[in-house]
PDB file of all heavy atoms in Angstrom:
ATOM      1  N   LEU A  42     103.869  99.952 103.867  1.00 88.00           N
ATOM      2  CA  LEU A  42     104.327  98.997 104.826  1.00 88.00           C
ATOM      3  C   LEU A  42     104.454  99.645 106.242  1.00 88.00           C
ATOM      4  O   LEU A  42     104.116  99.133 107.249  1.00 88.00           O
ATOM      5  CB  LEU A  42     105.658  98.412 104.528  1.00 88.00           C
ATOM      6  CG  LEU A  42     106.084  97.245 105.561  1.00 88.00           C
ATOM      7  CD1 LEU A  42     105.292  95.979 105.438  1.00 88.00           C
ATOM      8  CD2 LEU A  42     107.642  96.883 105.416  1.00 88.00           C
ATOM      9  N   GLN A  43     104.932 100.860 106.173  1.00 86.00           N
ATOM     10  CA  GLN A  43     105.002 101.632 107.447  1.00 86.00           C
ATOM     11  C   GLN A  43     103.576 101.767 108.138  1.00 86.00           C
ATOM     12  O   GLN A  43     103.408 101.479 109.368  1.00 86.00           O
ATOM     13  CB  GLN A  43     105.477 103.077 107.285  1.00 86.00           C
ATOM     14  CG  GLN A  43     105.428 103.918 108.452  1.00 86.00           C
ATOM     15  CD  GLN A  43     105.748 105.460 108.320  1.00 86.00           C
ATOM     16  OE1 GLN A  43     105.471 105.774 107.149  1.00 86.00           O
ATOM     17  NE2 GLN A  43     106.215 106.103 109.224  1.00 86.00           N
ATOM     18  N   LEU A  44     102.549 102.126 107.358  1.00 84.00           N
ATOM     19  CA  LEU A  44     101.177 102.222 107.817  1.00 84.00           C
ATOM     20  C   LEU A  44     100.650 100.918 108.337  1.00 84.00           C
ATOM     21  O   LEU A  44     100.033 100.761 109.331  1.00 84.00           O
ATOM     22  CB  LEU A  44     100.293 102.782 106.785  1.00 84.00           C
ATOM     23  CG  LEU A  44     100.467 104.275 106.285  1.00 84.00           C
ATOM     24  CD1 LEU A  44      99.840 104.722 105.174  1.00 84.00           C
ATOM     25  CD2 LEU A  44     100.493 105.198 107.452  1.00 84.00           C
ATOM     26  N   SER A  45     100.822  99.824 107.537  1.00 88.00           N
ATOM     27  CA  SER A  45     100.472  98.544 107.980  1.00 88.00           C
ATOM     28  C   SER A  45     101.111  98.059 109.318  1.00 88.00           C
ATOM     29  O   SER A  45     100.529  97.373 110.189  1.00 88.00           O
ATOM     30  CB  SER A  45     100.726  97.588 106.820  1.00 88.00           C
ATOM     31  OG  SER A  45     100.007  97.761 105.709  1.00 88.00           O
ATOM     32  N   ALA A  46     102.324  98.386 109.346  1.00 91.00           N
ATOM     33  CA  ALA A  46     103.182  97.918 110.597  1.00 91.00           C
ATOM     34  C   ALA A  46     102.582  98.631 111.878  1.00 91.00           C
ATOM     35  O   ALA A  46     102.404  98.049 112.943  1.00 91.00           O
ATOM     36  CB  ALA A  46     104.519  98.352 110.466  1.00 91.00           C
ATOM     37  N   LEU A  47     102.206 100.017 111.701  1.00 91.00           N
ATOM     38  CA  LEU A  47     101.685 100.649 112.838  1.00 91.00           C
ATOM     39  C   LEU A  47     100.337 100.222 113.250  1.00 91.00           C
ATOM     40  O   LEU A  47      99.915 100.408 114.363  1.00 91.00           O
ATOM     41  CB  LEU A  47     101.513 102.138 112.362  1.00 91.00           C
ATOM     42  CG  LEU A  47     102.747 102.933 112.354  1.00 91.00           C
ATOM     43  CD1 LEU A  47     102.601 104.310 111.669  1.00 91.00           C
ATOM     44  CD2 LEU A  47     103.537 103.107 113.704  1.00 91.00           C
ATOM     45  N   ALA A  48      99.627  99.429 112.436  1.00 90.00           N
ATOM     46  CA  ALA A  48      98.327  98.885 112.752  1.00 90.00           C
ATOM     47  C   ALA A  48      98.517  97.533 113.400  1.00 90.00           C
ATOM     48  O   ALA A  48      97.527  96.963 113.969  1.00 90.00           O
ATOM     49  CB  ALA A  48      97.433  98.638 111.518  1.00 90.00           C
ATOM     50  N   LEU A  49      99.708  96.900 113.454  1.00 93.00           N
ATOM     51  CA  LEU A  49      99.874  95.591 114.087  1.00 93.00           C
ATOM     52  C   LEU A  49     100.022  95.766 115.615  1.00 93.00           C
ATOM     53  O   LEU A  49     100.612  96.708 116.133  1.00 93.00           O
ATOM     54  CB  LEU A  49     101.199  94.986 113.505  1.00 93.00           C
ATOM     55  CG  LEU A  49     101.140  94.553 112.107  1.00 93.00           C
ATOM     56  CD1 LEU A  49     102.351  94.134 111.546  1.00 93.00           C
ATOM     57  CD2 LEU A  49      99.922  93.539 111.759  1.00 93.00           C
ATOM     58  N   PRO A  50      99.417  94.803 116.349  1.00 94.00           N
ATOM     59  CA  PRO A  50      99.493  94.872 117.863  1.00 94.00           C
ATOM     60  C   PRO A  50     101.011  94.808 118.262  1.00 94.00           C
ATOM     61  O   PRO A  50     101.875  94.001 117.807  1.00 94.00           O
ATOM     62  CB  PRO A  50      98.867  93.497 118.251  1.00 94.00           C
ATOM     63  CG  PRO A  50      98.084  93.065 116.970  1.00 94.00           C
ATOM     64  CD  PRO A  50      98.634  93.578 115.747  1.00 94.00           C
ATOM     65  N   VAL A  52     103.233  97.038 118.021  1.00 95.00           N
ATOM     66  CA  VAL A  52     104.313  97.909 117.336  1.00 95.00           C
ATOM     67  C   VAL A  52     104.269  99.363 118.052  1.00 95.00           C
ATOM     68  O   VAL A  52     103.193  99.843 118.113  1.00 95.00           O
ATOM     69  CB  VAL A  52     103.850  97.990 115.859  1.00 95.00           C
ATOM     70  CG1 VAL A  52     104.740  99.044 115.175  1.00 95.00           C
ATOM     71  CG2 VAL A  52     104.112  96.633 115.283  1.00 95.00           C
ATOM     72  N   LEU A  53     105.490  99.713 118.284  1.00 96.00           N
ATOM     73  CA  LEU A  53     105.606 101.037 118.942  1.00 96.00           C
ATOM     74  C   LEU A  53     105.882 102.134 117.968  1.00 96.00           C
ATOM     75  O   LEU A  53     105.416 103.357 118.139  1.00 96.00           O
ATOM     76  CB  LEU A  53     106.886 101.030 119.935  1.00 96.00           C
ATOM     77  CG  LEU A  53     106.566  99.955 120.994  1.00 96.00           C
ATOM     78  CD1 LEU A  53     107.875  99.915 122.021  1.00 96.00           C
ATOM     79  CD2 LEU A  53     105.495 100.295 121.990  1.00 96.00           C
ATOM     80  N   GLU A  54     106.652 101.861 116.917  1.00 94.00           N
ATOM     81  CA  GLU A  54     107.081 102.828 115.894  1.00 94.00           C
ATOM     82  C   GLU A  54     107.538 102.122 114.709  1.00 94.00           C
ATOM     83  O   GLU A  54     107.956 101.085 114.748  1.00 94.00           O
ATOM     84  CB  GLU A  54     108.271 103.581 116.535  1.00 94.00           C
ATOM     85  CG  GLU A  54     108.494 104.823 115.645  1.00 94.00           C
ATOM     86  CD  GLU A  54     109.469 105.819 116.294  1.00 94.00           C
ATOM     87  OE1 GLU A  54     110.043 105.558 117.451  1.00 94.00           O
ATOM     88  OE2 GLU A  54     109.740 107.025 115.764  1.00 94.00           O
ATOM     89  N   ALA A  55     107.353 102.808 113.535  1.00 92.00           N
ATOM     90  CA  ALA A  55     107.673 102.279 112.222  1.00 92.00           C
ATOM     91  C   ALA A  55     108.377 103.412 111.512  1.00 92.00           C
ATOM     92  O   ALA A  55     107.771 104.440 111.224  1.00 92.00           O
ATOM     93  CB  ALA A  55     106.577 101.713 111.420  1.00 92.00           C
ATOM     94  N   VAL A  56     109.691 103.276 111.297  1.00 89.00           N
ATOM     95  CA  VAL A  56     110.531 104.510 110.956  1.00 89.00           C
ATOM     96  C   VAL A  56     110.953 104.123 109.438  1.00 89.00           C
ATOM     97  O   VAL A  56     111.598 103.159 109.077  1.00 89.00           O
ATOM     98  CB  VAL A  56     111.801 104.651 111.697  1.00 89.00           C
ATOM     99  CG1 VAL A  56     112.620 105.816 111.296  1.00 89.00           C
ATOM    100  CG2 VAL A  56     111.406 104.820 113.271  1.00 89.00           C
ATOM    101  N   VAL A  64     110.948  98.592 112.398  1.00 96.00           N
ATOM    102  CA  VAL A  64     109.740  98.391 113.098  1.00 96.00           C
ATOM    103  C   VAL A  64     110.092  98.007 114.481  1.00 96.00           C
ATOM    104  O   VAL A  64     110.692  97.034 114.788  1.00 96.00           O
ATOM    105  CB  VAL A  64     108.883  97.200 112.487  1.00 96.00           C
ATOM    106  CG1 VAL A  64     107.628  97.035 113.333  1.00 96.00           C
ATOM    107  CG2 VAL A  64     108.417  97.568 110.929  1.00 96.00           C
ATOM    108  N   LEU A  80     103.829  91.262 108.999  1.00 91.00           N
ATOM    109  CA  LEU A  80     104.323  92.232 108.002  1.00 91.00           C
ATOM    110  C   LEU A  80     104.407  91.547 106.570  1.00 91.00           C
ATOM    111  O   LEU A  80     104.178  92.250 105.633  1.00 91.00           O
ATOM    112  CB  LEU A  80     105.773  92.651 108.402  1.00 91.00           C
ATOM    113  CG  LEU A  80     105.885  93.538 109.699  1.00 91.00           C
ATOM    114  CD1 LEU A  80     107.252  93.602 110.104  1.00 91.00           C
ATOM    115  CD2 LEU A  80     105.408  94.813 109.443  1.00 91.00           C
TER     116      LEU A  80
END
Side-chain angles (χ1 to χ4, degrees):
L42 184 72
Q43 177 195 23
L44 296 173
S45 294
L47 289 169
L49 294 173
V52 171
L53 302 174
E54 189 171 6
V56 181
V64 181
L80 292 170

